[in-house]
Amino acid sequence: MTAPIRIAVIGLGKIAHDQHLPAIARSHQFDLVATVDRAGVSEGPTPFFPSIEALIASGIAVDAVAICTPPQVRHDIAQTALEQGWHVLLEKPPGATIAEVVALREAAQERKVTLFTAWHSRFAPAVEAAGAWLKGREMTRAKITWREDVRIWHPGQDWIWAPGGFGVFDPGINGLSIATSILPSPMFVVSSQLSFPANLCAPIAAQVSCRDRSGAPIELDFDFLQEGPQHWDIEVETTSGTLVLSKGGAELSVSEGALGEHDTRGEDLVGEYPGLYRRFAALVRAGVSEVDVSPMRLVADAFLRARIVQVEEFHE
């Protein structure tokens, strides 16, 4: 395939409007041919449909879809797309459960189409350099801090508090997606404390203790009620220096000096989604999939090892 990939975006929430649609519009690799949302509205002259079934019935030629719905409904939509022979990009987290994502991976393999679990934070400007610096080094300690204000970043998104919505792990999994791609060895959950508001079904804060294969401690500090400065930081101590990856992967420094400073993460998550779509195009053209559930496994293990604490009700 050398012509632009004809893509439809399914789910027109905040992340689709802020990131997916602009990234597709700027890419010469893709041609937006349709949008789909059960409650949304048309994006200009682009054909709009209320469901994937209506898109299929229209007969519009589609090569791929980017699914940006809440994770609770993503599996069935993705399965339908795969059955059409369409390549599929799954916004993070790629499903409500690991089993759903594994089943989709098997379906994509059977139909010989691409499935891409799109961990966008891995495409932040400084992540690749951080991984290169850490390669071959011995880690002694790490801390992942993901503290943000849910009222700013997820306004009106009730799905995030429902079962399968991940709560504070929806942003926290971004940090885990970076950590699982750059740390020298796998990490395992030892214990966790999850704080659930009395009126909700997902945690608003999480304190998780992990370790790597050699026993080096890794602490996770996730909070959805951060006021003032927001924190998306990973600090890794090694036997030969300390690395700090800050602003969601936009800035990197080590103990002997800065390796490079880039645009801050900001509201537009500078640079992540163009890189994400370059990767998706490369996978589609190569005819291969990239399905990684390691960040989801850590979230699931945090729930398995959790001490649940009930805290005061949360209301926007």
Side-chain angles (χ1 to χ4, degrees):
M1 179 186 295
T2 56
I5 299 164
R6 297 166 296 189
I7 191 168
V9 173
I10 302 177
L12 297 178
K14 188 175 188 298
I15 198 67
H17 282 103
D18 290 353
Q19 301 299 333
H20 289 266
L21 294 174
I24 292 168
R26 293 196 299 266
S27 174
H28 68 276
Q29 301 264 32
F30 292 93
D31 182 16
L32 181 68
V33 297
T35 58
V36 178
D37 193 278
R38 64 182 182 180
V41 295
S42 175
E43 297 294 320
T46 304
F48 171 79
F49 302 93
S51 67
I52 189 173
E53 290 79 12
L55 171 60
I56 294 167
S58 74
I60 289 177
V62 175
D63 301 312
V65 295
I67 303 179
C68 308
T69 65
Q72 294 96 325
V73 300
R74 201 167 291 163
H75 171 270
D76 290 356
I77 296 169
Q79 179 65 32
T80 299
L82 293 171
E83 289 171 356
Q84 294 299 307
W86 298 344
H87 308 287
V88 174
L89 178 154
L90 299 172
E91 174 58 75
K92 68 85 196 170
T97 69
I98 295 172
E100 289 181 351
V101 182
V102 171
L104 291 173
R105 179 181 63 193
E106 294 170 352
Q109 290 173 341
E110 291 171 2
R111 290 162 178 80
K112 295 181 171 58
V113 294
T114 296
L115 180 67
F116 179 35
T117 49
W119 301 107
H120 65 78
S121 289
R122 290 179 175 175
F123 294 85
V127 170
E128 185 176 357
W133 189 85
L134 287 169
K135 187 175 181 180
R137 296 178 189 266
E138 182 183 349
M139 186 181 77
T140 57
R141 185 192 72 84
K143 183 173 183 180
I144 304 171
T145 304
W146 235 253
R147 300 176 67 91
E148 64 182 52
D149 189 338
V150 66
R151 293 181 175 93
I152 295 175
W153 296 94
H154 303 274
Q157 296 180 7
D158 293 341
W159 61 264
I160 210 166
W161 300 115
F166 287 64
V168 74
F169 284 104
D170 180 78
I173 206 170
N174 293 333
L176 295 177
S177 73
I178 295 174
T180 52
S181 69
I182 68 171
L183 293 184
S185 67
M187 55 189 290
F188 311 102
V189 174
V190 177
S191 64
S192 69
Q193 177 172 300
L194 307 184
S195 300
F196 280 69
N199 60 325
L200 300 174
C201 298
I204 201 165
Q207 303 292 321
V208 185
S209 295
C210 303
R211 65 173 180 86
D212 73 356
R213 185 174 283 149
S214 66
I218 306 166
E219 297 299 321
L220 315 182
D221 177 16
F222 297 164
D223 199 307
F224 244 163
L225 297 176
Q226 178 69 24
E227 297 181 352
Q230 309 286 281
H231 297 280
W232 303 289
D233 307 315
I234 299 175
E235 181 180 358
V236 185
E237 294 181 2
T238 75
T239 54
S240 55
T242 298
L243 173 147
V244 178
L245 189 60
S246 58
K247 297 181 180 178
E251 293 183 1
L252 172 64
S253 63
V254 295
S255 53
E256 58 264 31
L259 284 182
E261 295 187 357
H262 309 262
D263 290 337
T264 59
R265 177 185 176 103
E267 193 169 356
D268 58 353
L269 302 176
V270 172
E272 295 178 9
Y273 280 81
L276 190 76
Y277 273 93
R278 285 192 295 271
R279 181 60 178 164
F280 186 38
L283 293 171
V284 169
R285 298 191 189 284
V288 296
S289 291
E290 187 171 286
V291 181
D292 182 7
V293 297
S294 56
M296 286 188 72
R297 280 202 304 262
L298 290 169
V299 174
D301 289 351
F303 277 85
L304 285 171
R305 292 246 180 178
R307 174 177 178 266
I308 304 298
V309 177
Q310 189 174 92
V311 296
E312 64 182 28
E313 293 188 359
F314 172 79
H315 301 276
E316 282 198 51

